Amino acid sequence: MHHVTSPKLQPELQRIIEARHHDPFAVLGRHPQDKKVVVRAHLPYAQEVHIAEGNLPLERIPNTDLFEWQGKVDQVPERYRLIWRDGDHHEHISHDPYCFPPQLPDFDLYLFGEGKHWHSYRFLGAHRHEADGVAGVLFAVWAPSAERVSVVGNFNRWDGRIHPMRVRGGSGVWELFIPNVSPGDLYKFEIRNRNSGAIMLKSDPYGQQFELRPSTATIVTKPTAYAWRDADWLERRKKSDWLHQPMSIYEVHIGSWRRGPEGEFLNYRELAHQLVEYVKETGFSHIELLPITEHPYDASWGYQTTGYYAPTSRFGTPDDFRYFMDYCHQHDVGVILDWVPAHFPKDASGLARFDGEALYEHTDPRKGEHLDW
C-alpha cells in the first residue's frame, strides 16, 4: 500500500482536527488578509465543499477534513453559506457558524461574572436566535475548566469535531450560534477538560426540556402558543392579603398519587382535572407538588434533580405543564412548587464535576456530599 505523508500542519490547524482548540474562530470562517480573503471549514463527513455565493470550490488540505478557499475580499460576503456533499451523496447547505461575530452581550457576561445576573437562564442554554437576518439557535454554557466545548446533537452526528464553541475571554462562558438548528432538535455539550484531557458528554444545565428518561439529551424548545386563561386569578391574588389568609395545602407526588389502567404515568393535563376535583372535594386551597424538575430516577420522587429549568418529560411537555398550572388557577387552586437545590445525582450526564472540576459542588468531598442527608 502506497502511504502518503502529509506536510506537517500548523499547530493551529492540528488543534482544530484534534478538537482541542479553545478558539476555533481564529482558524475557521472568513479571514481577510490585505486585499485577499481566506475561508476555512472543518467538515469531517464532507467529500466536497463550495461557497454558495459564487459557487466557489474549497480545496481539501491533504489528508485532513479541513477545506480552504483563497481569493479576493469582495468575492465572499461576510455572511456566506457553505454547500457540501457527504459520502452518501446528500447535499447540505447552511450559513457557516464561523462567519458570525460573538452574539452574547458583554453586559450579561459581566453581571454573570459578578454573581449578580438574576436571569442567567435567559442567555445560558439554547435559545432560538436571529443573527444578521439568519435564523438558528444560540448555545451557551459555563465551563471554566474546559479546554474545548462543542455542541453535539442529532444535527451533526453527535460529533464534537463539527461545532466547537468559542470561549468569551475569562468569563468561562462558551457560545456558538448554529444556523438551521430547529426546535425539537436534540443536543448535549461535549467538554474536554484542560488538565486531564478527559472528554465528558453533558446535558444542558439550563435546558428547558429533556428527553424521556432513561435518555438524557436536552431538547431545543418550541416557541409556545399556549394561551393562559388565569388572568382573573392572578389579579385576585395580587389584591388579596394572602399572607394573612388561611391555607390548606395538599402535598402530592404526582408520579405515585394515581396511575393509568396499565400502571402508566398520567399526563399533566389528566392530573390537573383529577387533582383539582379531589382537592376541591376535600377542601384544600393549594396543591404543593413534590419536585417536578427533570430527574433520572423515578424512585427519587424528583429529589435528585438534573434539569432545574425543565418540567420532567415523564408527565408530558412544557405546554402540558402550563395547562396544569392554568387549570388549577382557573379553579381557584394555588400551586406551590418544591425546589431542591441542595443536592443532585452523580449521573455522568448531569452537574457533577461538570467541566472535569467541582463546578457546581464543593471541592472538598466532606462538604460537597452529605451521605446522611
Side-chain angles (χ1 to χ4, degrees), residues 185-188 203-204 207-211 216-220:
D185 280 339
L186 304 176
Y187 72 97
K188 287 188 178 184
S203 306
D204 183 355
Q208 294 176 7
Q209 188 177 1
F210 288 84
E211 284 185 291
T216 54
T218 322
I219 302 172
V220 177

Side-chain angles (χ1 to χ4, degrees), residues 165-184:
M165 306 173 82
R166 72 181 343 143
V167 66
R168 294 295 303 274
S171 68
V173 173
W174 301 72
E175 69 159 77
L176 186 65
F177 171 63
I178 309 181
N180 284 20
V181 172
S182 309

Side-chain angles (χ1 to χ4, degrees), residues 131-162:
D132 299 331
V134 178
V137 172
L138 178 57
F139 295 90
V141 64
W142 184 48
S145 293
E147 178 182 27
R148 182 266 304 170
V149 184
S150 297
V151 182
V152 295
N154 59 344
F155 42 85
N156 64 12
R157 307 193 194 201
W158 301 91
D159 189 324
R161 298 172 297 169
I162 295 176

Side-chain angles (χ1 to χ4, degrees), residues 202 304 344-352 369 371:
K202 294 288 190 176
Q304 294 280 340
F344 48 76
K346 291 180 178 177
D347 293 52
S349 63
L351 294 174
E369 186 172 6
L371 295 176

Side-chain angles (χ1 to χ4, degrees), residues 116-138:
K116 293 179 180 173
H117 202 306
W118 312 135
H119 304 287
S120 49
Y121 64 91
R122 290 181 181 169
F123 77 94
L124 291 171
H127 298 278
R128 294 178 307 281
H129 184 73
E130 195 173 284
D132 299 331
V134 178
V137 172
L138 178 57

